[in-house]
Amino acid sequence: MKHLLSAEDLGRDEAIAILDTAEQMSLLGDRSVKKLPTLRGRTVVNLFYEDSTRTRTSFELAAKRLSADVVNFSARGSSVSKGESLKDTALTLEAMGSDAVVIRHPASGAPHRLSSWIRGSVVNAGDGTHEHPTQALLDAFTMRRRLGRVNDLSVTIVGDVLHSRVARSNVRLLHTLGAGVTLVAPPTLLPVGVETWPAEISYDLDAVLPKSDVVMMLRVQAERMNAAFFPTEREYSRRYGLDADRMAMLPDHALVMHPGPMVRGMEIASEVADSVRSTVVEQVANGVSVRMAVLYLLLGGSPE
Ligand code: NCD
């Protein structure tokens, strides 16, 4: 594996090798010295053209725990604001000796283009509404840890599927790993062609909750919307939000997941976000282990 651009690129064995390696990496998090010398002398550039809290800091920590040198580049405050292109920016960073570029970009397909311009590895940290493969990997890792497997789980993904790269990557990876996925959203927030995805579609959240092992709530991505996709926030929340009454319809073992950032009171009630079923904080912790595994495997490690 040279790049990680899409969850679609991952076969079952490859995905499981990443999850197993992440399991090893997570042991490090329990030690007082949380560092391995594996990537000493290698340079990882975080190239972020979009805002991010979790993903950027998580990749930074992951690279540092493997002893790589890390350069954090954000488009704001750089020559990007002077009109420099992605290609020129990337070639500049490569000239300084970067071995891997972790990129988040508002344009779907940007990481793919980048991989044809530079010699090093490219990791997609979210491109437009397209994919976010490390998020899907950390979500699968969290499910496997909590429920013992991913195969045969019923996973319900709820909300703004249209704008969600998290949903796209999760549908693909979960399908590869043998889970059954149901998407629940208002018809206006489902993408054209969704019927060709390996997932069921439902418009009735209450009907699918009792059959779900995992329910994954998505944020309504207002910043990507240029029109009204639903009548009011109250109406959205009433039909597609997860509150305590709805959560009570889940089986006892079921998990509530959210990739963050959460809009409390909109897609998820505070009492649900903070409940014992919620894995939101665990997902963040697991993200570091999964990204360590990805960087390790891409930059020359073998999964033993
Ligand atoms: C998401 C993203 O940026 O795609 N967050 C994340 O990476 N954890 C989802 C979102 O912005 O709602």
Side-chain angles (χ1 to χ4, degrees), residues 76-87:
R76 200 167 300 155
S78 74
S79 285
V80 170
S81 59
K82 300 179 184 170
E84 187 163 57
S85 70
L86 173 61
K87 183 172 183 178

Side-chain angles (χ1 to χ4, degrees), residues 151-213:
N151 190 34
D152 277 342
L153 289 181
S154 293
V155 180
T156 301
I157 301 180
V158 186
D160 186 359
V161 176
L162 178 63
H163 299 105
S164 180
R165 51 202 179 200
V166 175
R168 270 175 191 69
S169 289
N170 260 291
V171 166
R172 288 176 171 151
L173 184 68
L174 288 168
H175 176 68
T176 301
L177 293 175
V181 181
T182 303
L183 299 171
V184 181
T188 50
L189 288 178
L190 286 171
V192 171
V194 72
E195 59 289 343
T196 66
W197 294 16
E200 307 273 311
I201 313 288
S202 166
Y203 303 105
D204 185 355
L205 184 53
D206 293 345
V208 298
L209 287 177
K211 301 178 276 189
S212 304
D213 299 303

Side-chain angles (χ1 to χ4, degrees), residues 50 54-55 104 132 135 165-166 219 221 223-224 259-261:
E50 245 185 38
R54 278 153 290 273
T55 307
R104 168 166 288 193
H132 192 354
Q135 178 71 43
R165 51 202 179 200
V166 175
R219 184 175 66 89
Q221 302 198 15
E223 76 278 17
R224 295 189 207 278

Side-chain angles (χ1 to χ4, degrees), residues 4 9 58 61 178 180 196 209 213 225 267 292 297 303:
L4 179 58
D9 301 339
S58 172
L61 261 181
T196 66
L209 287 177
D213 299 303
M225 295 183 184
E267 75 274 5
M292 284 174 78
L297 293 172

Side-chain angles (χ1 to χ4, degrees), residues 32-194:
S32 57
V33 178
K34 298 179 176 48
K35 236 170 146 93
L36 288 177
T38 328
L39 296 185
R40 197 157 47 199
R42 317 299 296 277
T43 302
V44 176
V45 174
N46 278 327
L47 186 56
F48 276 62
Y49 285 81
E50 245 185 38
D51 296 343
S52 172
T53 303
R54 278 153 290 273
T55 307
R56 198 192 63 72
T57 50
S58 172
F59 269 110
E60 179 176 356
L61 261 181
K64 285 182 169 164
R65 287 193 179 167
L66 295 171
S67 306
D69 293 320
V70 183
V71 177
N72 286 310
F73 176 96
S74 74
R76 200 167 300 155
S78 74
S79 285
V80 170
S81 59
K82 300 179 184 170
E84 187 163 57
S85 70
L86 173 61
K87 183 172 183 178
D88 287 330
T89 303
L91 292 177
T92 300
L93 296 166
E94 186 169 68
M96 292 186 222
S98 74
D99 297 294
V101 174
V102 176
I103 179 173
R104 168 166 288 193
H105 199 284
S108 301
H112 194 265
R113 292 303 298 277
L114 184 64
S115 70
S116 68
W117 293 327
I118 63 173
R119 287 186 302 274
S121 292
V122 175
V123 182
N124 181 1
D127 62 330
T129 59
H130 178 226
E131 280 236 25
H132 192 354
T134 59
Q135 178 71 43
L137 285 162
L138 77 87
D139 290 335
F141 182 85
T142 305
M143 292 176 208
R144 196 175 77 159
R145 266 224 163 154
R146 277 291 202 108
L147 301 173
R149 68 189 200 285
V150 177
N151 190 34
D152 277 342
L153 289 181
S154 293
V155 180
T156 301
I157 301 180
V158 186
D160 186 359
V161 176
L162 178 63
H163 299 105
S164 180
R165 51 202 179 200
V166 175
R168 270 175 191 69
S169 289
N170 260 291
V171 166
R172 288 176 171 151
L173 184 68
L174 288 168
H175 176 68
T176 301
L177 293 175
V181 181
T182 303
L183 299 171
V184 181
T188 50
L189 288 178
L190 286 171
V192 171
V194 72

